[in-house]
Amino acid sequence: MIFTSIEFLTFLAVVLTVYWLRRERRWQNMTLLAASYVFYGWVYPWHAVVLAASTLIDFALARRMAMHREAARRLLWLSVVLNLGLLGLVKYYFSINVPLAGVATAAGLGGDFLLAKIVLPMGVSFYALKKLAYMIDVSRGTIKPSASWMNFTLFVSFFPQVIAGPIDRAQKLLPQLAENRDWRVENFHAAWPLLVMGLFKKLVVADSVRVIVDQVFLQEEPTQLLVLVGVLGFTLQILADFSGYTDLSRGIAFLFGIETSENFAAPYLSLTPGDFWNRWHMTFSFWLRDYVFFPLRRAMVRRKHLPAGIAVVIPPLFTMLLSGLWHGTGWTFVLWGLYYGVLIAGYQLAGVRGEFKSARGWEKVLAWAVMFCLIVFGWLVFRAPSLTWLGHVLLERPFTRTAQNVTGSLVALAMIAFYALPLLLKWLIDRSAPRSIVLHGSYYALATLAAIVYFNSSSPDFIYFQF
Amino acid sequence: MDAKRTFPLYAWMTAGLLLITSFTLPGHFDIPYPAPVGPEFDAAQKIGPQQYLELHKPALVLIGDSQLYLGVDPEQLSRNLGVETYQIAVPGSGSAVWYLLMKNSLAESMHVPELVVITFRDTLLTLPGYRVTGRYFDLVDDYARKTEPVLLERAYLNQLNGLETAAERYVPLFSARREIREGLDRDVRYGLPRLAGCDEACVDDGIEAVFGRERLDPAALSSAVDAAQQSMFTPEAFDFDGQVERSLLPEIIRIADERGIRLVFVRLKTLIYPTLATEPPAMRMYMRALEAYLAARGAEFLDFSHDERLISAYFFDEMHFTTGGAQAFTDLLAQGLQPILRP
């Protein structure tokens, strides 16, 4: 089920009704747990079985860790291997199944079944990290393991987050799940703006711009001008899509009286790469910081024999490489991750860490302009269909060809700019008139109407209009 | 923003604007209230197939999509079988178009062919809502009459749930959303360039120069189309018994029966599930059910989906044959049809 479908709306209405029938923690958690597994296994029930099995294994391992502290390290490594193993299998199955099938067939084992195009579970990238954070924190003694298998299972499978985050920590969610949740009108007022903006960003902005962006990146021989237009579109699309999803996730969670973490804080206003990763997909970024970057840097700093710059360069490179691998299979993701690793290391070696401290306005503007260009270039690497295509575009394609080519590219740019305007307007309203009820009320009303107009019917090819 | 203080104004404005649009939009877009649910077809209909049938009187008629278009050489088939063959291959079509061809062309023709062969892949025969909206709507409209109640119900209305249906009928902003989006698209696409002296033709030339289909990477496009076909492989799609009576397949068979047309359904090969071992068990169950259903109704079923003679080198993407592949498949199809045509 997707959040922007009528099917999900019906599901949510039923779950909310049952949930709030009783203001009692156990009833509410059971309702949410059942709903989460129905949601996750809606199309392919076996996905829910995988989720349940991996969750219960970690629950048991964490309990054992607390009881046998001497074995904590071994048990943690077992959890890491199982979680990363599952994640690796899901991510890389279609990269290894063909050679594996060849080996199996050559060995007379009949490997054809490995070529079957199965639909692998979604969201493993997110819930595996959720569980790993929990296991690491339990092993460190930062938190106690959950005594309630229901609460822990719900923490992992919480349906507003299970497919695409935010990757909340146990410290954030488990205490809330351990309390009774009374209906408060503040929950509704926290939820409605997020739900309206989430729907608007996904249905109106992201889905519209995606059609243009996909057409650009499907081209065999695009001009550099067209690719520039396409990547600007993708820059808009990915923020609208992902932050829109997070808004919906958080808004839905608020309707259940549960507060979840923010994930985006105006990332395209960043002045440095470090700043960007403090604003973009924050829960994932902080996960990497706390469980990869800081431990690695501490370990390297302790090794006094290492050359001075190593502890500055290696941690960001390795951390961002992992980020690239987490985001997807393919060399473009590896390169994208390394790109940010090099940027962060480079800025740090130049003495610029997370924040850009400058009193002069023009320096900040320049820093922003440079960083925005770096972000856009990064998205080009991320979205490119292959490294070959990317190299071909950057090194061999002309900037533009004919006047018609320029016209077509600029028309596409105008359409992308049209869909960027509402988000710019929102930013301006938030910044210049944060208390204006009229401006905010009007904006949200128009956004709601726009979401109704841009709602796609349940038929799958509705959006595929001829561009 | 103070959400609590803003909410009343937001709610009133939203309700007010919905009310205003409920009064203004029906008149502006000429939509009745309550609005009819589902699309409207125009009265124009392609009569080329019917005219060809009556003029040339082919013994064998083939119906399908781009797989048929690129996969079968009708002249070679004619030579192999010794009968005139007429191929109606509509790229991008699904069972909705095939139903319309049976109903509005073959059933209306004075000439009754000996055999009608419908080529398909996977679960297409029981997915009436596949490729009937968006850019595919025009294909359906080409072969539809003004009134198509069965098509409307099975290909469109059954795909909507109750809330959507109610919104289509009673919320003019929702009913008119296609028209509003098209208008907005036109204004944005043509408005700004007009200021720079580029009229509609100039914009269209520019768009075609940049986004013409021939510019797309065939492999990437194939992957994108593939990704869009996932609805054919869901557990719901594999449920033959649950889908068949809601589909257009019974109607296709009924029309053929009434006209005395013998039907053959040919399952084509793709590289999505090239061998039996790669095919999901649910798909195998679906095909067994389909075969039994067709046999019970006197229709023939030929299955080339796992034919080892159709090697992967015969395909230029996951679904379509090369010229050499088409030659090979046409021969195999002729061999399969021969005993049916002349038992």
Side-chain angles (χ1 to χ4, degrees):
Chain A
M1 266 186 271
I2 54 171
F3 285 172
T4 50
S5 66
I6 297 278
E7 200 174 45
F8 178 77
L9 196 62
T10 314
F11 165 83
L12 183 62
V14 168
V15 177
L16 279 170
T17 305
V18 174
Y19 180 87
W20 288 113
L21 276 176
R22 286 165 63 172
R23 311 290 201 262
E24 191 261 315
R25 171 182 52 85
R26 200 170 162 77
W27 170 265
Q28 291 175 332
N29 288 354
M30 271 171 52
T31 305
L32 274 182
L33 183 62
S36 296
Y37 272 82
V38 166
F39 175 85
Y40 192 69
W42 183 254
V43 179
Y44 300 99
W46 71 272
H47 293 181
V49 173
V50 172
L51 172 63
S54 75
T55 304
L56 291 173
I57 288 172
D58 276 328
F59 175 76
L61 286 176
R63 300 281 298 160
R64 203 165 173 78
M65 249 193 248
M67 286 190 292
H68 303 280
R69 295 304 304 175
E70 72 287 356
R73 205 177 168 80
R74 273 202 320 274
L75 293 168
L76 174 64
W77 273 110
L78 178 58
S79 173
V80 168
V81 165
L82 289 173
N83 278 294
L84 293 185
L86 177 62
L87 180 55
L89 183 66
V90 167
K91 277 227 174 302
Y92 292 95
Y93 178 81
F94 290 117
S95 304
I96 60 172
N97 67 329
V98 172
L100 266 181
V103 166
T105 304
L109 297 171
D112 266 4
F113 72 95
L114 287 165
L115 300 174
K117 284 203 167 81
I118 56 172
V119 177
L120 294 167
M122 290 175 64
V124 178
S125 304
F126 293 89
Y127 71 69
L129 293 196
K130 237 185 182 179
K131 291 192 287 128
L132 276 174
Y134 171 80
M135 297 302 285
I136 294 170
D137 286 344
V138 168
S139 76
R140 286 174 179 171
T142 313
I143 57 172
K144 287 199 175 75
S146 174
S148 163
W149 69 267
M150 180 158 54
N151 288 4
F152 178 72
T153 313
L154 175 54
F155 155 67
V156 175
S157 65
F158 185 44
F159 76 86
Q161 300 187 326
V162 70
I163 299 293
I167 306 170
D168 261 321
R169 305 284 175 93
Q171 295 89 318
K172 177 90 177 174
L173 282 192
L174 282 177
Q176 296 185 72
L177 298 179
E179 303 278 320
N180 291 339
R181 291 174 290 280
D182 289 321
W183 174 256
R184 293 179 302 141
V185 75
E186 285 80 13
N187 295 343
F188 175 75
H189 289 301
W192 76 260
L194 289 168
L195 294 173
V196 171
M197 277 313 289
L199 283 172
F200 178 77
K201 281 193 253 183
K202 272 198 79 65
L203 291 177
V204 180
V205 180
D207 283 352
S208 302
V209 172
R210 177 166 55 93
V211 177
I212 304 170
V213 170
D214 285 353
Q215 290 271 331
V216 171
F217 285 92
L218 278 176
Q219 302 243 334
E220 218 171 355
E221 306 254 304
T223 60
Q224 290 179 345
L225 174 61
L226 183 64
V227 170
L228 177 60
V229 169
V231 74
L232 285 171
F234 184 69
T235 302
L236 173 63
Q237 177 204 330
I238 194 169
L239 177 64
D241 205 332
F242 206 174
S243 68
Y245 183 94
T246 300
D247 287 347
L248 288 172
S249 167
R250 297 188 69 225
I252 292 165
F254 270 123
L255 291 177
F256 292 103
I258 295 171
E259 185 180 343
T260 56
S261 301
E262 287 191 38
N263 231 359
F264 296 89
Y268 294 158
L269 296 180
S270 305
L271 302 182
T272 67
D275 189 20
F276 176 73
W277 283 98
N278 283 337
R279 294 166 178 257
W280 177 271
H281 197 182
M282 288 148 62
T283 54
F284 173 64
S285 183
F286 296 158
W287 193 100
L288 286 175
R289 179 196 65 189
D290 293 343
Y291 300 110
V292 179
F293 182 82
F294 279 159
L296 184 58
R297 196 163 76 170
R298 273 196 296 269
M300 300 196 92
V301 163
R302 276 195 217 112
R303 283 161 175 72
K304 305 280 183 218
H305 61 277
L306 288 173
I310 291 290
V312 174
V313 169
I314 298 296
L317 271 180
F318 181 73
T319 305
M320 297 317 295
L321 172 65
L322 285 186
S323 170
L325 289 169
W326 180 90
H327 276 86
T329 58
W331 288 108
T332 52
F333 297 102
V334 174
L335 186 62
W336 176 77
L338 283 173
Y339 169 76
Y340 270 105
V342 166
L343 283 182
I344 293 169
Y347 268 65
Q348 287 188 350
L349 285 172
V352 180
R353 296 185 184 272
E355 284 177 44
F356 180 81
K357 293 185 175 66
S358 170
R360 295 194 200 108
W362 69 266
E363 280 184 358
K364 277 193 171 171
V365 171
L366 185 62
W368 170 81
V370 168
M371 192 58 223
F372 186 74
C373 292
L374 291 173
I375 292 169
V376 170
F377 184 78
W379 287 135
L380 173 61
V381 176
F382 186 93
R383 182 60 180 84
S386 68
L387 284 185
T388 312
W389 184 94
L390 181 65
H392 184 60
V393 161
L394 291 175
L395 301 172
E396 293 168 22
R397 296 298 298 146
F399 184 71
T400 185
R401 271 202 311 252
T402 60
Q404 288 168 329
N405 192 273
V406 174
T407 305
S409 303
L410 293 180
V411 168
L413 182 63
M415 297 183 84
I416 290 166
F418 173 74
Y419 287 104
L421 283 176
L423 297 187
L424 285 170
L425 182 63
K426 177 74 168 55
W427 177 74
L428 277 171
I429 293 174
D430 285 342
R431 203 178 152 80
S432 59
R435 290 196 180 83
S436 170
I437 294 171
V438 171
L439 283 178
H440 281 106
S442 309
Y443 184 93
Y444 279 102
L446 290 171
T448 302
L449 264 59
I452 292 172
V453 169
Y454 277 77
F455 179 81
N456 295 321
S457 80
S458 32
S459 185
D461 55 13
F462 182 92
I463 199 170
Y464 194 66
F465 64 87
Q466 184 93 41
F467 176 71
Chain B
M1 179 188 78
D2 185 335
K4 197 168 174 179
R5 290 176 61 216
T6 307
F7 183 73
L9 177 69
Y10 158 74
W12 280 113
M13 277 199 72
T14 305
L17 287 169
L18 272 174
L19 201 61
I20 291 169
T21 55
S22 296
F23 283 105
T24 55
L25 288 180
H28 184 74
F29 289 112
D30 196 25
I31 299 172
Y33 186 89
V37 183
E40 278 184 20
F41 303 112
D42 60 32
Q45 177 204 326
K46 275 189 177 170
I47 57 171
Q50 186 181 341
Q51 285 177 334
Y52 187 99
L53 284 165
E54 286 170 357
L55 189 62
H56 295 277
K57 299 180 177 27
L60 178 63
V61 174
L62 302 166
I63 295 175
D65 61 8
S66 57
Q67 274 193 293
L68 173 64
Y69 181 71
L70 292 171
V72 174
D73 179 344
E75 286 173 9
Q76 180 186 339
L77 193 64
S78 291
R79 285 194 301 273
N80 287 6
L81 291 172
V83 298
E84 168 108 15
T85 300
Y86 174 40
Q87 182 167 292
I88 317 173
V90 183
S93 65
S95 61
V97 169
W98 308 338
Y99 157 76
L100 291 170
L101 282 165
M102 285 295 295
K103 173 178 168 291
N104 297 338
S105 297
L106 272 89
E108 295 296 311
S109 165
M110 303 280 281
H111 168 70
V112 179
E114 280 187 57
L115 217 54
V116 169
V117 175
I118 298 179
T119 63
F120 72 98
R121 64 181 181 282
D122 305 314
T123 58
L124 268 192
L125 286 177
T126 51
L127 290 178
Y130 183 76
R131 290 191 175 173
V132 296
T133 56
R135 71 195 293 257
Y136 300 109
F137 175 73
D138 289 341
L139 282 180
V140 177
D141 197 22
D142 278 346
Y143 297 98
R145 295 193 174 134
K146 185 94 176 109
T147 315
E148 296 283 357
V150 173
L151 180 75
L152 198 64
E153 184 202 336
R154 298 192 190 184
Y156 295 94
L157 303 188
N158 282 356
Q159 312 305 314
L160 305 176
N161 62 39
L163 251 176
E164 263 181 293
T165 308
E168 283 267 7
R169 271 198 228 282
Y170 302 113
V171 182
L173 187 67
F174 194 77
S175 324
R177 68 192 191 287
R178 290 173 197 82
E179 289 84 352
I180 294 171
R181 284 178 70 169
E182 280 167 17
L184 207 53
D185 179 61
R186 282 191 68 82
D187 288 342
V188 175
R189 183 192 292 241
Y190 298 116
L192 207 60
R194 201 175 290 127
L195 298 174
C198 183
D199 63 11
E200 281 192 25
C202 165
V203 169
D204 288 342
D205 284 345
I207 298 281
E208 181 59 31
V210 168
F211 293 106
R213 200 177 170 90
E214 67 282 358
R215 304 216 177 281
L216 302 181
D217 177 2
L221 181 61
S222 175
S223 297
V225 168
D226 208 32
Q229 292 190 119
Q230 289 307 307
S231 58
M232 290 169 55
F233 306 113
T234 61
E236 194 183 345
F238 287 146
D239 178 15
F240 180 83
D241 292 331
Q243 294 291 106
V244 67
E245 293 305 321
R246 294 156 46 94
S247 74
L248 293 162
L249 179 60
E251 285 297 302
I252 291 172
I253 295 174
R254 183 189 62 74
I255 291 165
D257 267 346
E258 282 175 3
R259 284 290 284 164
I261 296 172
R262 290 164 60 211
L263 274 177
V264 182
F265 291 89
V266 174
R267 185 184 175 201
L268 299 172
K269 183 166 183 168
T270 71
L271 297 183
I272 298 172
Y273 301 119
T275 66
L276 201 58
T278 60
E279 191 169 81
M283 176 78 92
R284 283 180 236 151
M285 283 175 54
Y286 174 97
M287 286 302 157
R288 279 199 287 270
L290 171 66
E291 192 173 358
Y293 181 88
L294 295 176
R297 286 153 184 79
E300 300 281 348
F301 177 55
L302 295 178
D303 190 348
F304 292 96
S305 60
H306 304 125
D307 196 315
E308 287 172 357
R309 294 169 291 182
L310 297 169
I311 56 177
S312 58
Y314 283 160
F315 291 81
F316 74 80
D317 63 21
E318 276 197 326
M319 292 194 301
H320 300 103
F321 285 122
T322 58
T323 313
Q327 283 170 355
F329 178 64
T330 305
D331 282 339
L332 291 176
L333 182 61
Q335 287 170 29
L337 290 175
Q338 187 70 61
I340 300 171
L341 197 54
R342 304 271 188 262

